[in-house]
Each structure stands twice: as C-alpha cells, then as structure tokens.
C-alpha cells in the first residue's frame, strides 16, 4: 500500500526514502503516524516503545505487505543502551515520549518533570552528536496562560485577539506560581524546547518542534478499568467518553468554562508528514498544529459529545447530562488552568501550506463511533459483573 513512483516535496524535489526512529511509536499519535508512513510512503520505521498494543495490527508480518519496513524495539528510553545505536541507524528521530495527562501533573510532578525533560535529554544529545535531524513533540501548554487572562474581567481588551491568540515567535510563556504543580509539565516542556533551540544555535542541530493543540481521534488515551487503570483519569475526551459509555453525567471542572480548540488526528498527521518530507521548510521552526475554527468551552464540548454519542449509540441522553466539580476535588491540590488555547496558524500555513479540514462535529462523530464500537460491550460486561464480597 506504500506510494509508488517518485514522490515530490513542496518544492518539486524528489523525496528520498528514509529511516525514521520513532520514540513513543506505540501511543495515540505514534500509532496514527506509523499508519500514515507505512500506507502512503516508502519510508522505514524503527518503532520504539514500552507497549505496542495500538500498533499490533501493523506488526503482523504474515498479513502485511510492509513487514520489512517496520521494526518494533521494546525499550524504555530512561535506561536502555540501545537508544543511541537506533538513533544512529535512522535519518530522522521523532520523539513522542511523554507523560501528558493533566491528572498526573499535580499527583506525580517529579515523574512529569523527569519524563518530559530529563528523559528527553539523551535523545537531543545523540541527535546533535551524530548529526541526525530531530522532530520533537512539545505541547501547546508551553504558552501557559494568555495575557488577556490577567486583564480585568470586564476589560474590552479581553476580546482583542492580540491578547489571547498564541503565536510561536512572539507569545510569552506565562505559568502560575511554583506551588501550582500543574505547571510542572509545561515548564519541563518549555525547558526542553529551549535546550533543543540552543543545540540548533550552538551546535547546528537540525530540529523541528511541534506544539499540538488537543489532537483528538480513535485510540486516544484509555478507558479506565477497561484498557487502563480503574482509578486513572485520562484527558478530557476520554474522560467524557468514559462517562457517556457508562451512562454517567459528565464532570465539568470549575463549570467547564475553559476554552479549547480541537483538531482531528488525521488532519494533524498530514502536517507531521509535511514536516518529515520537507526538511528545508521545517528545520529550525516551531509549529502550532491545531484548528482555531473548532473552538469551544469544555461545557460546550460536553453538550456536543452528549448529542453525538446519543446519535451513534442510539441511546437517549441522560436527563442530567453534566455535573459541576471543583478542580481541587477532581485533580487535587495545586491545580491551575489555561483560560484559552487558540493557535495562530500563520507559520505552518506559510512554510508547509497546511490547513486543518475536519469540523468539530465530524471529528467527534468519528471518534465516538470508534469508542462505542470498541468499548460499549466491554463496559456492559464490566458493569454487570457481581462484585465479590469481602
């Protein structure tokens, strides 16, 4: 299924087949990127991860025509001597590895900082020392809070886009106080970005940094008690999906008034492939990858998901579809939040000609159809099981 014939980059040059070392290939983004690369390009993948459940379908040699183009290496980048050798074997390294679940930022701040900064250091070092290109996945959380959030509540400037639209090259990164441990993630991610940028400036590292803005789609996160820990708290889409599947009200943290934008995973992966295959246009750049047209409050997202899920499942929505909870109750002490996360798309549009296509309704329909098909039966069985008496 790989593309045949000569494929050209955005400047009309032939794209040479390459070997990609993909760290975190077994996760949500990695699984979709592996599919894209194997289905549509001749490139090879060295897939590195601790787990491979989400890419198992790509690793069955007897059924797949691309079996010789993907190798899975089960390793943890924290302590594996094979890492440098695998980076050396590749033309390009993509680092997707991270702890990126908000519930962990307060409760596991040390793991969060180590995972997102300390564990990423060897990857940057090996790429720089061996003259290998790096595409590093950061986060839109590096922007922190908007300038507008510090203006008086009734200030008309709060409606001025220059106070809340987030630009890669000019927006400041504004975090909360140190005791708000929620910012441990964003701070670690910002510091690794600065280190990568410095490696580029001082040692000539060829890099691209990706700042995802809520990429949504099938295989995202986990459903607690089914394919993840029962007490686990995944990100908002999987949290809401879990409630819908179990016919429970959706919990709105602090009334669900934070604003977010959501982009469909398949649109976002198109952007990543453009970065992979157009190094002359992508190197040295930081790219927002999101969809500013899909902007909603978390409360509006809950209402839309309730309506879409009712359509795909055929079940009527609950009479009380949502309930309010405090952030302290939901996430624990030390939680804080960004008010808005709306990306400026000028740089990625200028450099790579990329624009997202999928509406919020369509991406929710696709994702919730997948969630219902994958989990509804398992959840019914889990709910109906008698609880053993102690």
């Amino acid at each position: 299924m790989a593309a045949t014939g000569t494929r050209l980059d955005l400047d009309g040059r032939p794209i040479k087949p390459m070997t990609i070392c993909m760290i975190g290939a077994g996760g949500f983004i990695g699984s979709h990127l592996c599919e894209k690369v194997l289905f549509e390009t001749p490139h090879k993948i060295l897939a590195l991860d601790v787990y491979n459940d989400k890419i198992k379908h790509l690793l069955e040699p007897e059924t797949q025509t691309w079996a010789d183009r993907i190798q899975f290496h089960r390793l943890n980048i924290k302590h594996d001597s094979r890492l440098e050798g695998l980076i050396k074997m590749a033309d390009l390294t993509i680092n997707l590895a991270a702890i990126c679940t908000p519930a962990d930022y307060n409760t596991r701040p040390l793991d969060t900082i180590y995972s997102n900064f300390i564990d990423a250091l060897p990857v940057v070092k090996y790429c720089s020392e061996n003259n290998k290109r790096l595409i590093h996945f950061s986060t839109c959380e590096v922007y922190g809070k908007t300038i507008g959030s510090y203006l008086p509540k009734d200030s008309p400037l709060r409606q001025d886009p220059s106070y809340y639209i987030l630009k890669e090259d000019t927006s400041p990164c504004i975090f909360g106080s140190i005791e708000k441990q929620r910012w441990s993630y964003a701070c670690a991610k910002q510091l690794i970005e600065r280190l990568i940028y410095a490696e580029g400036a001082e040692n000539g590292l060829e890099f691209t940094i990706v700042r995802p803005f809520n990429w949504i789609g099938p295989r995202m996160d986990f459903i607690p008690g089914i394919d993840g820990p029962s007490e686990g708290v995944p990100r908002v889409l999987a949290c809401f999906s879990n409630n819908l599947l179990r016919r429970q009200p959706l919990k709105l943290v602090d009334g669900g008034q934070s604003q977010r934008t959501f982009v469909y995973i398949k649109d976002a992966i198109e952007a990543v492939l453009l970065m992979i295959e157009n190094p002359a246009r992508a190197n040295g750049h930081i790219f927002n990858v999101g969809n500013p047209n899909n902007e909603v409050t978390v409360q509006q997202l809950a209402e839309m998901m309730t309506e879409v899920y009712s359509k795909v499942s055929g079940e009527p929505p609950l009479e009380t579809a949502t309930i309010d909870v405090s952030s302290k109750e939901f996430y624990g002490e030390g939680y804080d939040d960004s008010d808005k996360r709306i990306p400026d798309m000028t740089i990625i549009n200028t450099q790579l000609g990329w624009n997202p296509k999928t509406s919020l309704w369509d991406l929710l329909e696709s994702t919730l159809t997948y969630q219902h098909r994958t989990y509804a039966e398992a959840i019914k069985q889990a709910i109906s099981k008698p609880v053993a008496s102690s």
Side-chain angles (χ1 to χ4, degrees):
M1 283 167 71
T4 53
T6 305
R7 297 168 66 253
L8 303 176
D9 68 12
L10 293 172
D11 297 306
R13 292 183 293 251
I15 297 167
K16 291 177 186 163
M18 65 182 93
T19 299
I20 300 167
C21 176
M22 196 185 301
I23 300 166
F28 163 55
I29 295 172
S31 68
H32 286 276
L33 186 53
C34 283
E35 284 180 348
K36 184 82 171 169
V37 168
L38 293 174
F39 295 176
E40 296 184 22
T41 82
H43 309 317
K44 293 182 178 176
I45 301 171
L46 304 173
L48 282 55
D49 212 319
V50 180
Y51 306 106
N52 65 7
D53 303 11
K54 294 182 182 184
I55 54 170
K56 266 204 171 116
H57 61 296
L58 303 174
L59 301 173
E60 295 161 354
E62 66 282 359
T63 57
Q64 311 301 4
T65 55
W66 55 77
D68 62 335
R69 292 197 295 116
I70 182 165
Q71 285 177 13
F72 179 70
H73 298 265
R74 193 180 299 278
L75 63 83
N76 185 329
I77 60 168
K78 271 187 210 179
H79 39 66
D80 201 299
S81 56
R82 292 173 292 169
L83 180 61
E84 184 173 14
L86 290 162
I87 287 173
K88 278 182 174 179
M89 286 167 63
D91 302 294
L92 161 70
T93 294
I94 300 175
N95 191 5
L96 293 152
I99 286 179
C100 53
T101 308
D104 291 326
Y105 308 161
N106 289 1
T107 55
R108 298 169 58 204
L110 282 175
D111 282 346
T112 300
I113 292 165
Y114 272 79
S115 164
N116 291 294
F117 180 67
I118 304 293
D119 297 349
L121 286 174
V123 178
V124 180
K125 177 173 172 269
Y126 295 149
C127 286
S128 187
E129 288 175 354
N130 294 289
N131 296 314
K132 299 294 183 179
R133 187 174 165 227
L134 171 66
I135 296 179
H136 182 84
F137 272 69
S138 184
T139 171
C140 60
E141 293 219 11
V142 296
Y143 292 109
K145 302 185 177 203
T146 65
I147 301 171
S149 70
Y150 288 90
L151 295 169
K153 288 269 191 286
D154 56 356
S155 170
L157 290 175
R158 276 179 170 254
Q159 306 309 313
D160 181 341
S162 62
Y163 284 86
Y164 64 81
I165 298 286
L166 301 170
K167 299 185 176 187
E168 301 95 326
D169 52 349
T170 59
S171 293
C173 303
I174 306 171
F175 300 154
S177 59
I178 295 298
E179 57 266 27
K180 299 289 188 187
Q181 297 213 81
R182 187 252 196 277
W183 299 109
S184 58
Y185 172 68
C187 194
K189 282 292 201 181
Q190 188 203 135
L191 190 54
I192 198 73
E193 279 200 29
R194 291 193 182 279
L195 184 111
I196 291 166
Y197 197 89
E199 279 286 356
E202 288 192 33
N203 297 322
L205 172 67
E206 290 189 1
F207 72 86
T208 302
I209 290 169
V210 185
R211 290 180 180 165
F213 280 71
N214 296 81
W215 296 10
I216 299 295
R219 302 197 290 268
M220 183 181 181
D221 288 356
F222 59 91
I223 295 297
I226 303 298
D227 57 358
S230 296
E231 67 288 352
V233 182
R235 284 169 288 187
V236 66
L237 183 114
C239 265
F240 284 174
S241 296
N242 183 43
N243 295 138
L244 290 165
L245 285 156
R246 294 176 188 274
R247 292 194 62 71
Q248 298 167 343
L250 279 56
K251 292 178 178 176
L252 298 179
V253 175
D254 295 337
Q257 292 314 297
S258 295
Q259 286 172 287
R260 296 290 183 266
T261 58
F262 297 89
V263 65
Y264 190 39
I265 182 68
K266 293 191 186 306
D267 289 350
I269 292 299
E270 292 274 358
V272 180
L273 187 60
L274 286 166
M275 294 173 208
I276 290 169
E277 296 190 328
N278 292 275
R281 288 170 175 252
N283 282 344
H285 284 285
I286 300 170
F287 291 117
N288 289 341
V289 181
N291 188 339
N293 300 318
N294 287 345
E295 182 202 349
V296 284
T297 64
V298 173
Q299 181 183 4
Q300 288 168 328
L301 176 72
E303 289 163 359
M304 279 183 82
M305 285 183 68
T306 300
E307 192 180 341
V308 172
Y309 189 73
S310 180
K311 181 188 168 191
V312 302
S313 67
E315 296 171 2
L318 292 177
E319 211 164 292
T320 307
T322 62
I323 51 170
D324 284 4
V325 296
S326 72
S327 54
K328 185 178 176 182
E329 184 188 341
F330 193 80
Y331 287 118
E333 201 69 58
Y335 188 75
D336 198 7
D337 206 357
S338 313
D339 50 322
K340 286 176 183 250
R341 286 207 209 117
I342 303 165
D344 180 89
M345 303 302 292
T346 309
I347 294 179
I348 194 165
N349 191 257
T350 304
Q351 290 301 116
L352 301 174
W354 180 81
N355 276 306
K357 305 179 189 79
T358 311
S359 70
L360 185 55
W361 180 275
D362 288 347
L363 76 82
L364 288 176
E365 192 166 12
S366 164
T367 305
L368 289 174
T369 299
Y370 169 86
Q371 300 280 53
H372 181 68
R373 194 177 65 232
T374 308
Y375 295 111
E377 202 49 48
I379 281 183
K380 272 184 197 150
Q381 287 174 11
I383 290 170
S384 65
K385 271 184 192 166
V387 178
S389 54
S390 51

